[in-house]
């Protein structure tokens, strides 16, 4: 059971960052369906690149703060 803790903690971290991204994008783009389609896109295991790493999710979360809606991720 002890060996499952790191995987569980990482899964919780991934989930929390995805929630932050969805909430942030819902504010930046109120016309988008971020709680529906956006959530599914972040959790799509069939995506070409697979599950995004925690570091990549942090970048996705932080980039709009750094460049606003003109950041590369928002264009």
């Amino acid at each position: 059971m002890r060996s499952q803790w790191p995987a569980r903690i990482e899964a919780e971290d991934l989930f929390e960052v995805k929630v932050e991204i969805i909430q942030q994008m819902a504010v930046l783009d109120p016309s988008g369906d971020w709680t529906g389609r956006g959530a599914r896109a972040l959790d799509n295991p069939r995506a070409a690149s697979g599950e995004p790493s925690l570091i990549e999710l942090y970048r996705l979360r932080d980039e709009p703060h750094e460049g606003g809606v003109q950041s590369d991720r928002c264009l």
Side-chain angles (χ1 to χ4, degrees):
M1 169 112 176
R2 199 166 185 74
S3 64
Q4 295 174 348
W5 279 103
R8 180 178 178 176
I9 290 170
E10 183 174 356
E12 289 173 357
D13 289 346
L14 287 167
F15 177 79
E16 289 171 5
V17 175
K18 288 178 182 181
V19 169
E20 290 176 15
I21 292 168
I22 291 165
Q23 291 172 338
Q24 175 179 300
M25 292 307 297
V27 170
L28 292 173
D29 180 19
S31 65
D33 180 19
W34 290 101
T35 57
R37 288 185 15 218
R40 286 190 301 276
L42 283 175
D43 201 33
N44 185 354
R46 293 176 289 164
S49 60
E51 176 78 14
S53 70
L54 190 56
I55 292 170
E56 180 62 20
L57 287 173
Y58 279 127
R59 282 189 198 126
L60 284 170
R61 182 198 66 187
D62 295 341
E63 192 169 304
H65 289 293
E66 295 167 2
V69 294
Q70 298 302 316
S71 71
D72 291 339
R73 299 277 184 194
C74 291
L75 295 177

